[in-house]
Amino acid sequence: RSRLDARWEVSHLEAPVAPLGPDGQDGAVHGDRGFPTVIPERLSGSRILITGVTGFLGQALLERVLGDLPDCRAVLLVRAQGGLSGRTRVASLLAGPAFTPLRDRIGAEDLRRRLEDRIEVIEADVSDGPPELPGDLDVVFHCAASVSFDPPIDDGFRANVLGPANLYEAIGAAGGAPHVVHVSTAYVAGVARGIVAEEPLGHAVDWRAELEAAAETRRAVDAASRKPEMLDAFLRRARKEHSRAGPQTVADDAERRRRGWVDRRLVQY
C-alpha cells in the first residue's frame, strides 16, 4: 500500500501532514487498518462525490469511505451501461474483490445496508454534458478517465478533457464550494523525468480548439469510410466470411468493419 493511498491526499483537505519518520512512514496516528485517524476526524459528516467509481482507483476509494468513514455519505456519478442502471452497477461492485476485506469484516448484509443508507447514485456521463449535482458537497474526488494507451483521438478528448470541464462547470453551478481532488492520468507527465510536482501545468494549448479539431477529425474519417470504394471493400470482406448467413448478417458485418476502420484510423491521429 503506497503512502499516497495511506494519506489519501490529506494536503488537499487542509489537514496537517505528519513528517516522515526514520522508517519512511508518516508520523500520524493510525487506526486498526493503518488508516490515519486525522482523515475520519476531518471528514466527519461530509458528503463526498466520487466519479470513476467503477474503475480500479474509484472502487478502492469507495471501499475506504464505506469502511473507515462511518458517518460520511457518498454521492456516486455512474453512467448506465449494457442495459444496467448506474445503481445496479454499483451494487454489483460490492460483490467484487475490491470489497472482499470489508465484506469479511462487516458481513455482506451490513455492506448492502450501507449501500442503501449511505450511497446516492446520480446516473450521468460527464462526457455528455454537465450533470446536475447537489449543492451541499464537501469533497469531490474526480477519478474518472480513460487510461487506454491508444484511444481514438476524439474519445480520448471527450473522456479526459471535456469530461472534467463539464464536471467542474457542474460543481460551480451547484453553488457549493467543495474541496476538489483531481486524479490525473499518468499521461499528464508526458516524457518528463524525475519528480513531477502536483501543481497546475503551464501550457499554451487551446483545449477547446483541440477538442473541436478532434471532433472534426471524427467527421472527416467517418465520411471517408463511406466512399463507394470503401463500402465495396467492407461488403466484399463480409460476403467472403458470411455469404451463407444471409444479406442481413453480411450488412451487419460490413458496418462493423466500417466502424472498426474508423476507430483504428482515429487512433493514428
Side-chain angles (χ1 to χ4, degrees), residues 189 192-199:
R193 295 179 178 272
I195 297 175
V196 178
E198 292 188 34
E199 59 187 14

Side-chain angles (χ1 to χ4, degrees), residues 181-249:
V181 180
H182 179 102
V183 182
S184 299
T185 66
Y187 309 127
V188 170
V191 295
R193 295 179 178 272
I195 297 175
V196 178
E198 292 188 34
E199 59 187 14
L201 300 178
H203 64 83
V205 176
D206 184 343
W207 67 265
R208 292 176 179 84
E210 294 295 327
L211 179 66
E212 177 54 34
E216 179 56 37
T217 300
R218 162 74 70 173
R219 291 188 286 268
V221 172
D222 187 82
S225 75
R226 298 179 186 276
K227 291 181 178 180
E229 61 270 24
M230 296 296 294
L231 294 178
D232 287 346
F234 298 139
L235 277 171
R236 187 164 55 250
R237 296 181 190 128
R239 288 194 188 101
K240 184 177 180 180
E241 191 168 328
H242 301 287
S243 58
R244 295 186 178 182
Q248 187 60 56
T249 300

Side-chain angles (χ1 to χ4, degrees), residues 107-181:
E109 184 58 35
D110 193 356
L111 185 55
R112 282 192 293 271
R113 190 158 47 247
R114 295 187 188 196
L115 169 63
E116 296 301 322
D117 296 343
R118 296 175 50 197
I119 293 179
E120 174 188 350
V121 176
I122 298 177
E123 195 168 287
D125 185 341
V126 292
S127 296
D128 293 336
E132 186 172 341
L133 300 179
D136 60 347
L137 296 173
D138 298 294
V139 185
V140 174
F141 287 96
H142 180 49
C143 305
S146 171
V147 293
S148 171
F149 283 104
D150 54 355
I153 185 66
D154 61 319
D155 287 351
F157 268 95
R158 279 175 52 81
N160 292 352
V161 178
L162 183 60
N166 286 337
L167 175 65
Y168 300 144
E169 179 180 337
I171 293 171
H179 296 280
V180 176
V181 180

